[in-house]
Amino acid sequence: MNASGPRCTSYDELKVIAKSASAAIVTKSCTIESREGNPEPRYQNLPLGSIQSMGLPNLGYQAYLAMVPELKALGKPVIVSISGFSIEDNIEMVSAFQNSDVDLIEVNFSCPNIPGKAQVAYDFEQTDRALAALCQLGDKPIGIKLAPYFDMSHFVAMANIIKQYPVKFITCINSIGNTLVIDPHSERPIIKPKGGFGGLCGDYIKPVGLANVRAFRELLGDDVQIIGVGGIKSGTDAFEYLLAGADAVQIATCFEKEGPECFSRIENELKAFMKAKGYNKLTDAKGKLKPL
Ligand code: RRO
């Protein structure tokens, strides 16, 4: 499926996703009020991915709430992503979507691009408090989009929090936040917001995404579904995430660069690769990374 990120903000964009081979329709993270996002230039392609600091441009959650019936009518599961600036914001939005027809709610705890706002996923105490509040608002499954972690103690700390709540899925990983790409000719950063600091995406981050999926799969067992995301642009990339333990994968940068044809291409490549290996279904390979 698509990742909450590129090409999923407007109804027209979401309709294109519905018509593609994406397994679900995932919306751009929304906030209480609509937002223009950060100043341009805020997205740049790189040889092996991209850097961006979009700043949560979105229509405001009520627009997505009103869109749910039309999106559902397109015939695919609808996953709404919410990204409030406070626990109160997230309570308001989760409550609203709990009373809608969306299939899943992905709470984004990891946007790196709002000046002055820390990423919730790096604040374990705040994550714990937020989950305590958000998991009791209804029966619809909720999941959380996590930031990339780089220390084993952080995987353990976050897994121990997740285990305390009925979190149905985690999405790993968001972009690697606050990276800097410099153009040596102009002697400037290549994006404008935050002095050039932005989220790194694409091939560069695949090893980080794989490690996060693997670590959480080992720590959480099979109780929590894991959506892998980060640098998937081929069937073999998706297969690697499957081996690491992903139940599903999301595509962001490749979708941005290639357009909606990427979903059928990647799916066909994955099918062909697995068939050549003699695997018939995803569970033949899921989580079955072999020791070296
Ligand atoms: O809009 C963004 O700048 C953005 C978001 Br909400 C996010 O979760 N991750 C990201 O890399 N960019």
Side-chain angles (χ1 to χ4, degrees):
M1 70 189 85
N2 70 296
S4 180
R7 298 178 184 245
C8 60
T9 302
S10 68
Y11 177 71
D12 287 348
E13 288 174 321
L14 294 164
K15 208 162 120 185
V16 170
I17 293 167
K19 290 192 170 151
S20 77
S22 177
I25 306 168
V26 186
T27 68
K28 173 70 184 170
S29 293
C30 61
T31 48
I32 299 285
E33 305 293 342
S34 65
R35 289 174 56 84
E36 292 291 324
N38 289 339
E40 309 260 5
R42 60 192 186 182
Y43 177 97
Q44 296 284 1
N45 282 325
L46 297 171
L48 299 176
S50 61
I51 184 173
Q52 48 72 33
S53 179
M54 305 305 289
L56 261 167
N58 77 93
L59 306 176
Y61 86 93
Q62 274 158 350
Y64 297 100
L65 193 60
M67 229 184 259
V68 170
E70 283 167 280
L71 293 176
K72 285 291 291 178
L74 298 171
K76 285 188 174 168
V78 174
I79 304 178
V80 71
S81 170
I82 68 156
S83 188
F85 293 131
S86 63
I87 291 183
E88 290 71 29
D89 283 7
N90 281 334
I91 290 174
E92 179 175 336
M93 291 189 281
V94 169
S95 302
F97 286 109
Q98 280 290 358
N99 288 311
S100 77
D101 272 341
V102 297
D103 295 276
L104 299 175
I105 303 170
E106 185 180 272
V107 185
N108 184 357
F109 281 160
S110 47
C111 175
N113 295 335
I114 304 302
K117 289 273 176 195
Q119 291 169 82
V120 175
Y122 288 137
D123 180 338
F124 297 107
E125 209 176 287
Q126 202 189 333
T127 300
D128 199 340
R129 269 186 283 119
L131 286 177
L134 300 176
C135 287
Q136 54 171 21
L137 299 174
D139 296 333
K140 226 176 261 300
I142 77 167
I144 52 179
K145 178 130 172 208
L146 294 174
Y149 299 102
F150 302 92
D151 190 282
M152 296 316 281
S153 69
H154 294 167
F155 293 127
V156 173
M158 182 51 71
N160 285 340
I161 293 168
I162 291 166
K163 280 183 197 166
Q164 293 174 54
Y165 300 101
V167 173
K168 284 287 187 298
F169 69 96
I170 59 174
T171 305
C172 313
I173 54 174
N174 210 316
S175 62
I176 297 183
N178 297 301
T179 63
L180 179 64
V181 176
I182 292 174
D183 174 5
H185 304 291
S186 68
E187 305 177 14
R188 299 177 208 277
I190 66 168
I191 57 171
K192 190 171 180 67
K194 290 178 68 177
F197 281 45
L200 188 67
C201 308
D203 303 15
Y204 303 104
I205 75 168
K206 191 179 77 171
V208 180
L210 287 170
N212 275 255
V213 169
R214 181 69 180 160
F216 282 115
R217 176 55 73 217
E218 292 193 307
L219 290 163
L220 296 171
D222 283 330
D223 296 341
V224 180
Q225 303 248 307
I226 301 179
I227 303 177
V229 48
I232 297 169
K233 64 175 189 187
S234 71
T236 54
D237 293 330
F239 183 74
E240 290 166 20
Y241 270 91
L242 187 63
L243 286 178
D247 294 279
V249 293
Q250 295 181 342
I251 321 283
T253 305
C254 177
F255 176 37
E256 168 65 27
K257 289 187 175 183
E258 180 178 333
E261 295 75 26
C262 72
F263 299 108
S264 55
R265 178 184 59 74
I266 291 169
E267 185 184 1
N268 290 335
E269 289 173 4
L270 175 62
K271 277 184 185 157
F273 188 79
M274 290 187 66
K275 197 174 167 201
K277 281 182 159 280
Y279 294 135
N280 297 314
K281 47 191 189 314
L282 294 174
T283 47
D284 290 344
K286 195 191 113 182
K288 295 195 174 149
L289 182 65
K290 296 174 184 164
L292 192 59

